[in-house]
Amino acid sequence: MPAAPLLSLALDDLDDPPLRPLPGPVAELLARLAAPPRLVAHLRAVHDVAVRLLDELTQRFPDLEVDRQAVLFGAATHDIGKVRHRAELSGPGSAHEPAGRDLLLAEGVPPRLARFAATHAAWGGPGIGIEDLLVSLAVKVWKNRRLPELEDLVVARLAARGRERWEVFLELDDVLGGIGADADARLAFQGAYPVV
């Protein structure tokens, strides 16, 4: 199948599994950049997880102050630098992180949104906000990967609002466990699309 129909299918397939579509401007950008279908499928899966994560957390922590649109944009574009570093679609590497930020900036994306392409794997650095942590969490939990050190940072931010750490930990663990339970379907969705 030619790349263009696969890209369109990765952007638009709503049935198996039922993943939310990417935000319109992100989908248009990925199409304009001729993003590989596997990358588009991956970004959809992570974006969908970010929506679920935010929905659950804002329900359980109503006083959580978070820029929802920034988190969703970050989740939908976190690996966009792999358009330039395609070998990192199927192998290790982090060159896509600064390349993604630079690509987004060159496309006119504000720095406050472009940063997620560079921070999604550097969540322990200075100046990292709750939005960065939530994008990083979505990037991990979409495939049911749990990182205690990342989760501890999120727990600390959520507990800083006056709740007990153990209570916050249990709530977050419940949310991540529920999201992680669907990882196999997301992995199968992503795997159905070619790297190039």
Side-chain angles (χ1 to χ4, degrees):
M1 186 178 280
L6 281 173
L7 175 63
S8 178
L9 188 57
L11 284 167
D12 300 327
D13 182 8
L14 298 177
D15 296 327
D16 190 23
L19 299 175
R20 291 161 186 85
L22 288 166
V26 173
E28 292 166 12
L29 175 60
L30 292 169
R32 193 168 58 253
L33 295 171
R38 169 85 45 95
L39 175 60
V40 173
H42 170 68
L43 293 173
R44 275 196 64 201
V46 174
H47 172 263
D48 187 74
V49 164
V51 172
R52 288 181 61 189
L53 181 63
L54 286 169
D55 287 350
E56 287 277 344
L57 291 179
T58 55
Q59 181 181 9
R60 293 173 188 239
F61 302 93
D63 61 339
L64 175 63
E65 294 178 17
V66 64
D67 184 341
R68 181 181 179 89
Q69 295 311 314
V71 172
L72 297 180
F73 183 87
T77 60
H78 74 279
D79 273 349
I80 199 164
K82 291 183 180 182
V83 166
R84 302 284 186 255
H85 296 277
R86 292 181 183 230
E88 293 182 15
L89 283 166
S90 58
S94 58
H96 72 277
E97 295 161 10
R101 181 193 57 231
D102 294 346
L103 186 154
L104 290 170
L105 291 171
E107 290 289 330
V109 173
R112 71 177 191 80
L113 296 176
R115 77 177 193 263
F116 297 108
T119 64
H120 71 273
W123 35 266
I128 298 297
I130 187 68
E131 290 83 6
D132 302 273
L133 295 174
L134 294 176
V135 169
S136 298
L137 201 54
V139 167
K140 299 303 179 194
V141 78
W142 83 274
K143 60 183 175 182
N144 202 23
R145 183 163 182 220
R146 303 286 300 267
L147 293 177
E149 54 276 4
L150 173 58
E151 293 176 26
D152 287 346
L153 292 171
V154 174
V155 166
R157 297 288 176 101
L158 294 173
R161 301 199 139 349
R163 297 199 39 195
E164 296 290 333
R165 280 182 72 100
W166 65 267
E167 179 188 8
V168 172
F169 170 80
L170 291 175
E171 291 279 350
L172 183 63
D173 185 59
D174 188 50
V175 169
L176 298 180
I179 292 171
D182 300 330
D184 288 345
R186 288 186 295 269
L187 286 163
F189 173 77
Q190 175 183 292
Y193 294 94
V195 171
V196 290

